[in-house]
Amino acid sequence: KMANTYSALKRVRQTERRTEVNRKNKSRLRHQIRAMRRALTAKDHKAASELLSPTFSVIDRSAKSGIIGKNTAARYKSKLHLRVKALAA
């Protein structure tokens, strides 16, 4: 269905831009977490430790922009950090 007012047309344009930004950010989040999990399954403590800070940063930014919820971000960070600590032991 086509928008038929100027404000509706503007909302369509804004939504397209926001969708693209959200898609890129969500993809960045997933790739970062995937890289972190790969390092953990490979039992590479050095790589996992180096990836920890950038991964937390991406998770926090995603939560801030609403891509994931605050509790989801906290859960991801907690689980990843526990696994890194377990590697060190």
Side-chain angles (χ1 to χ4, degrees):
K1 187 147 179 152
M2 187 60 208
N4 55 2
T5 61
Y6 287 113
S7 60
L9 289 168
K10 181 178 177 180
R11 294 302 295 172
V12 168
R13 290 194 306 270
Q14 288 175 327
T15 303
E16 285 171 356
R17 281 198 296 268
R18 289 304 320 157
T19 302
E20 193 58 38
V21 168
N22 287 337
R23 189 177 291 133
K24 277 189 170 50
N25 287 336
K26 192 167 201 167
S27 179
R28 183 179 298 130
L29 171 70
R30 284 201 308 262
H31 279 86
Q32 188 70 38
I33 290 176
R34 197 173 295 142
M36 182 76 186
R37 287 182 178 151
R38 281 202 185 108
L40 288 166
T41 50
K43 304 221 184 308
D44 188 350
H45 178 66
K46 186 174 182 290
S49 298
E50 287 173 4
L51 281 172
L52 196 63
S53 181
T55 302
F56 280 11
S57 177
V58 171
I59 290 171
D60 285 334
R61 276 183 285 152
S62 297
K64 185 178 174 187
S65 64
I67 288 164
I68 56 173
K70 189 173 68 170
N71 289 352
T72 305
R75 190 172 64 245
Y76 283 165
K77 287 165 64 174
S78 172
K79 294 286 185 190
L80 291 172
H81 194 250
L82 282 173
R83 288 178 66 184
V84 170
K85 276 172 62 176
L87 270 184

